[in-house]
Amino acid sequence: TDFCRQHNALMAETLAKAPERLEGLAALPMQDIQAACEELERAVSELGLRGAMIGTDFNQGFACGSLDPLYRKFVDLDVPLFVHASSTNGVANLKDMRLSAHNLSLSLGYAQEEAVAVAQILLGGVFDRHPDIDICVSHGGGTITFLAEKLDQLAVIDTAAGQGVRDHGFAHELQKLWFDTHVKGEIAARALRHYAHPDRLVMG
């Protein structure tokens, strides 16, 4: 929590040098959701940051009800949540040692982290509980567009899937997320444009 407070103060200080050009997102202490709520409130209301960015590596996952107070805080403040794949300590590779060779954390691991986040958010009913939240996932959601048709089929028999997915399908619910367009290659970009809502793609 102390690290995030210092990070966000430095972010605000840096942005103040060029407020007409730069906006910033806060870091949040995701191991303590109450502290994350308080820091988001401070970062937005006092420091002027425009939202927050979190990683994908917290243990409870995105659909856990323990995150609901934080999701409500994003809605109340009317600011976006940006999700970017990250390693456990923000420095080293992902915990899976099979990914240590050939830089596979970067090429495969992070893409899968983003896809898992998207799957948890949609199948776990986050938008059912918080329909007004704005969540943007980095790098086009990783491998999610490659797997979307499969997830669409499996969701039909998933009795634990969120109501939105059960009523409309996984692919339909993908249109509720924002994605940045930082993907590699035209095939990946075309798949992203096929599944994402055209008004919810942002430059990445």
Side-chain angles (χ1 to χ4, degrees):
T1 301
D2 183 59
F3 173 86
C4 289
R5 289 179 63 86
Q6 291 187 53
H7 169 283
N8 296 336
L10 180 60
M11 175 70 77
E13 180 184 322
T14 303
L15 298 175
K17 298 175 182 177
E20 73 287 352
R21 279 197 310 116
L22 302 175
E23 303 284 5
L25 297 176
L28 300 179
M30 293 301 293
Q31 77 279 11
D32 182 340
I33 298 303
Q34 179 58 39
C37 290
E38 293 170 1
E39 184 55 20
L40 179 61
E41 175 80 46
R42 185 185 81 96
V44 172
S45 300
E46 298 180 24
L47 301 180
L49 301 186
R50 296 294 189 166
M53 185 187 85
I54 64 173
T56 54
D57 58 349
F58 48 93
N59 291 332
Q60 66 268 49
F62 285 85
C64 183
S66 66
L67 269 69
D68 283 344
L70 182 59
Y71 290 143
R72 286 194 295 270
K73 181 65 71 173
F74 276 100
V75 173
D76 290 345
L77 293 170
D78 193 22
V79 295
L81 166 61
F82 183 58
V83 176
H84 193 286
S86 67
S87 57
T88 301
N89 64 10
V91 179
N93 290 331
L94 296 170
K95 284 189 261 189
D96 188 339
M97 293 309 297
R98 296 173 301 170
L99 300 174
S100 59
H102 312 293
N103 210 13
L104 291 180
S105 276
L106 182 61
S107 59
L108 299 180
Y110 293 142
Q112 194 60 19
E113 284 281 297
E114 289 150 345
V116 169
V118 171
Q120 289 176 339
I121 290 166
L122 298 186
L123 293 170
V126 172
F127 281 104
D128 298 333
R129 304 194 301 275
H130 310 281
D132 295 324
I133 194 168
D134 288 310
I135 301 175
C136 182
V137 184
S138 62
H139 304 291
T143 60
I144 201 65
T145 54
F146 176 80
L147 297 169
E149 191 171 9
K150 184 175 186 177
L151 285 163
D152 218 19
Q153 294 169 352
L154 292 174
V156 173
I157 58 172
D158 182 0
T159 57
Q163 192 67 46
V165 170
R166 293 203 308 274
D167 289 347
H168 307 293
F170 186 86
H172 177 275
E173 295 298 284
L174 270 175
Q175 303 241 326
K176 295 181 178 180
L177 285 163
W178 296 74
F179 297 99
D180 80 31
T181 59
H182 187 189
V183 297
K184 297 296 184 183
E186 180 52 34
I187 293 174
R190 193 158 61 240
L192 177 59
R193 292 194 298 268
H194 175 80
Y195 282 107
H197 192 290
D199 293 337
R200 290 180 175 244
L201 289 174
V202 296
M203 184 64 70

